[in-house]
Amino acid sequence: MKAFTYQRAGSATQAAAAALKPGAKIIAGGTNLLDLMKLQVETPSDLVDINRLPLDRIEETPDGGLRIGALVRNSDLAADARVRQRYGVLSRALSAGASAQLRNKATTGGNLLQRTRCYYFYDITKPCNKRNPGSGCAALAGFNRIHAILGTSELCIATHPSDMAVAMRALDATVETVNPQGETKYVPIAELHRLPGRTPEIETSLTTGEIITAVTLPPPPPGVQLYRKVRDRASYAFALVSVAAIIDSTHGRIRSARLAFGGLAPKPWRVAQAEQRLTDATANAATFEAAANAVLEGARGFGGNDFKIPLTRRTLHGALAEITKT
Ligand code: SF4
């Protein structure tokens, strides 16, 4: 590991200002960053510790939503009674992520900003356009079982690994940030993560020095919430395919639908056309298939991950059948 300086930030604005320095990194739970440092994928010159900032509260908002501080630990968020009762999809997604030990350390802000688990990104002997722009992408012709089928570019086919972010995407969360000038910004979660395009090394819309301070959830939408995650083993594994579904239906008739997917793309994936296919429709296999076709429009496998196309179809059918069966 390379030498670095360490400082504790006294305020969010101070942390943002410290993060402006080239090579500086913010550290909170450290569940991803420390691994990356040990492998020399990340070699920060300065670590700015924000763990002592008062960003660890979950508060009611005047409109009936919740404001979640960036330092709220994943396990605390999953266990919060308000989250469990009103945002079951989020509680379930959090509980499906990582291991209990990691969830006790990992934070809300860090979870959103975690890096891909592409094997080649973590192996500094391999070409990777995200880690080393212009070096190539070893995954394209390599072992790409866990890689994306939607939203890819010829430079990068990595997925975003978060479960929590998928649920927050279905819930239309807003990410709150502060910059070194102390200005607050509100970013819809749909606009936080970027597709790789020609610049896979740029993963979010945050500017240098801009740090996440909170995530706000609007009041819960009507309907039943479900998070279904398909993975290679029952725990401590990333999603091959996951779906966050919020469906309002009665007696087989769907009134409204929200769907977000994980494991398929470089960001939590939501397709408005798929939700439209389900809205004001009868809950049956033909309707579910029409939604799956909309989700998978433009999907492309790269050999090892071709199976994700039929797996997505089956996962969606299963989730929708379960959620609309009453
Ligand atoms: Fe790097 Fe992206 Fe290719 Fe993985 S998929 S090797 S992260 S460029």
Side-chain angles (χ1 to χ4, degrees):
M1 192 183 290
K2 298 214 168 127
F4 54 87
T5 69
Y6 172 86
Q7 60 177 293
R8 285 198 178 109
S11 70
T13 306
Q14 196 185 86
L20 271 180
K21 184 178 172 187
K25 282 272 170 195
I26 299 285
I27 185 163
T31 54
N32 190 204
L33 180 59
L34 292 178
D35 282 346
L36 291 164
M37 288 172 66
K38 288 176 199 165
L39 294 168
Q40 308 228 340
V41 177
E42 295 269 21
T43 52
S45 57
D46 303 80
L47 279 189
V48 183
D49 187 338
I50 60 169
N51 279 294
R52 293 193 179 179
L53 300 184
L55 302 173
D56 58 350
R57 287 190 280 275
I58 305 171
E59 301 160 311
E60 298 278 352
T61 60
D63 66 351
L66 285 181
R67 182 177 182 273
I68 304 158
L71 291 176
V72 173
R73 308 286 156 175
N74 287 178
S75 50
D76 292 336
L77 186 57
D80 185 274
R82 296 161 293 184
V83 174
R84 292 179 56 163
Q85 282 162 15
R86 286 149 52 188
Y87 304 97
V89 65
L90 177 59
S91 181
R92 285 185 186 205
L94 283 158
S95 300
S99 65
Q101 293 91 336
L102 287 168
R103 292 194 294 271
N104 285 342
K105 284 297 289 178
T107 63
T108 302
N111 189 316
L112 289 174
L113 298 180
Q114 64 180 299
R115 313 294 302 274
T116 182
R117 270 24 180 221
C118 170
Y119 322 110
Y120 305 104
F121 177 70
Y122 285 76
D123 182 347
I124 59 171
T125 68
K126 297 291 190 296
C128 170
N129 288 320
K130 186 184 284 296
R131 176 173 29 77
N132 184 13
S135 62
C137 172
L140 278 171
F143 190 61
N144 50 37
R145 174 176 166 73
I146 64 170
H147 287 75
I149 57 171
L150 290 160
T152 59
S153 75
E154 69 263 38
L155 297 188
C156 181
I157 59 171
T159 56
H160 193 273
S162 172
D163 292 294
M164 183 195 80
V166 176
M168 287 184 169
R169 180 78 181 87
L171 291 165
D172 277 334
T174 299
V175 179
E176 193 177 312
T177 68
V178 71
N179 69 12
Q181 290 73 44
E183 296 160 343
T184 301
K185 203 165 93 184
Y186 300 91
V187 185
I189 194 166
E191 296 169 18
L192 177 68
H193 300 103
R194 288 168 43 112
L195 295 180
R198 307 294 306 167
T199 53
E201 71 279 14
I202 304 173
E203 297 174 347
T204 72
S205 58
L206 301 183
T207 54
T208 307
E210 187 178 5
I211 69 166
I212 295 177
T213 47
V215 176
T216 302
L217 303 178
V224 178
Q225 302 181 14
L226 173 146
Y227 189 74
R228 181 173 285 200
K229 179 175 180 178
V230 181
R231 47 188 158 173
D232 279 329
R233 59 183 181 221
S235 76
Y236 201 16
F238 293 93
L240 295 168
V241 175
S242 69
V243 57
I246 305 173
I247 308 288
D248 185 21
S249 70
T250 320
H251 305 306
R253 189 79 192 160
I254 301 172
R255 280 189 290 269
S256 66
R258 296 186 189 197
L259 300 171
F261 293 84
L264 300 185
K267 60 187 285 185
W269 199 252
R270 197 164 162 191
V271 180
Q273 290 88 335
E275 296 174 8
Q276 283 161 12
R277 301 273 192 286
L278 295 170
T279 302
D280 294 324
T282 302
N284 59 30
T287 301
F288 302 164
E289 186 65 5
N293 286 339
V295 171
L296 290 166
E297 193 175 334
R300 176 193 168 193
F302 295 87
N305 65 350
D306 293 350
F307 73 97
K308 284 192 176 185
I309 295 175
L311 182 61
T312 302
R313 205 175 282 286
R314 289 199 298 275
T315 303
L316 182 59
H317 270 264
L320 291 173
E322 181 181 336
I323 208 168
T324 60
K325 70 184 169 201
T326 52

